[in-house]
Each structure stands twice: as structure tokens, then as C-alpha cells.
Amino acid sequence: RDKALNKILEASERAAKITQTILAQARNRSESLTATNLGAIIQDAMLLLEREMRKYRVSVEIEIDPETPAAMANGNQIQRVLLNLLINARQAMTEGGTIFVRLRQADEKEFIELVVRDSGKGIPRDKLPRIFDAFYSTKSGPDESGKGGTGLGLAACKEIIDAHRGRIRVESTVGRGTAFILKIPAVLDQSTVA
């Protein structure tokens, strides 16, 4: 009985955290760019996808450099990009695998670098030039979870990153996996960050 009660308590605490994350997103509907802690965005995204990752035997390794400055960003939009990239990565690993997420200040100090890398099947070289085109997809359609295949996800990601005056690029090797590298403008004067 104690085990059952502990499981119920853990599930209710997890549900409360997810509810808080969703409510925070709903409250922050502003389109403006503000100083944003991308580390917190990553943690929230992982909370939302934790069960899905476990179900498909995908482990996630996160490396956040504590010296990473805030980004000038819209948190909801960056979280949308991150969720899309994480779900795509999960779908690329039909037999399970590892997703690696890294956040740090880019070599060009005016940017934050966010990398999402998977150990999936990779994208053939001839398909890479069109990967961000609207309605272009390397998938045959939605998977068993009902996600993917419309060709709108990566196009929307690029549109969001472009609107942030950032950059997004892809590196992929068939049989070894894919990495999406995002560069988002940093808040250069950290003394203005609350």
C-alpha cells in the first residue's frame, strides 16, 4: 500500500509541475523579446516530454554551461522550436537512442548556441537543402503517436529563429544521426537581466 501511495504522490507532483509549466506558457502570450533563461526553457521542455522519451526508450543528456548569458528571446516561441526538434529527434530513433542537448555561449559572443543532436538514422545529403521548406518532409506521415509528417515543423522553427535574428542549421550523417544548431542573440548587457 505504501508503494501505491508513493506512486500516486509522485504522479500528482508531476501533474502539478506540468500544469504549472502550461499555465506559465498561457500567461506569457506576449510576442515581445525579453531576457530569457534558455536553461529553464530546456528543463520545462524535458518535463513535458519525459514520459514520451521513456516510452520510446530515448535517453536525454543535457549539458548547460552555467555561464551562459540570457538570450533576447520570446520564451514560448523558443520552447515551441525546442519541443519540435526534440520530438523530431525522438521520431528519428525508432529503436531508442540518445538525444544530446547543449546550451552555451557561442564562439561569437553575441549569440547563445543551442544544439539538439540525436543518434538516429540521419537525413540523406540530397534532402538536406530542402529540410526547412514548408510542406517538405522526410517522413512518410505521422508516426504511431500521431506526430510528424506535415513538413511544417522545421519551416516554422526556421521562421521563429529568423524572427529572433538568429540562425538555424542542420548537420546530418546517414546512420549516425542529426544535429540542429541554433544561434539566438544574447543579452549583451547582463546587468539589465533581473
Side-chain angles (χ1 to χ4, degrees), residues 3 7 12 14 20 35 37 43 69 79 93 102 107 126 130 132 137 139 145 152 162-163 170 172 182 188 190-191:
K3 272 187 175 178
K7 284 192 176 203
S12 65
R14 184 181 185 311
Q20 288 170 349
N37 176 350
Q43 298 300 339
Q79 186 169 55
M93 299 180 291
R102 182 181 70 212
D107 293 335
D126 63 317
R130 297 198 54 210
F132 295 110
S137 178
K139 301 172 193 168
S145 68
L152 292 173
D162 286 349
V170 61
S172 191
L182 285 67
L188 296 177
Q190 291 296 306
S191 66

Side-chain angles (χ1 to χ4, degrees), residues 103-115:
L103 179 68
R104 66 180 186 92
Q105 188 164 20
D107 293 335
E108 312 111 298
K109 298 295 184 204
E110 67 271 16
F111 288 101
I112 308 301
E113 183 179 84
L114 174 60
V115 176

Side-chain angles (χ1 to χ4, degrees), residues 10 33 38 49 63 96 159 186:
E10 287 171 12
L33 306 180
L38 295 186
L49 293 176
E63 181 183 300
E159 188 177 300

Side-chain angles (χ1 to χ4, degrees), residues 58-98:
V58 172
S59 65
V60 181
E61 296 176 14
I62 299 173
E63 181 183 300
I64 298 174
D65 180 346
E67 302 296 314
T68 305
M72 185 56 69
N74 177 297
N76 283 347
Q77 291 179 352
I78 296 301
Q79 186 169 55
R80 181 175 155 203
V81 169
L82 183 58
L83 289 169
N84 188 289
L85 294 177
L86 289 166
I87 290 168
N88 283 354
R90 193 273 301 156
Q91 290 174 330
M93 299 180 291
T94 53
E95 305 297 317
T98 303

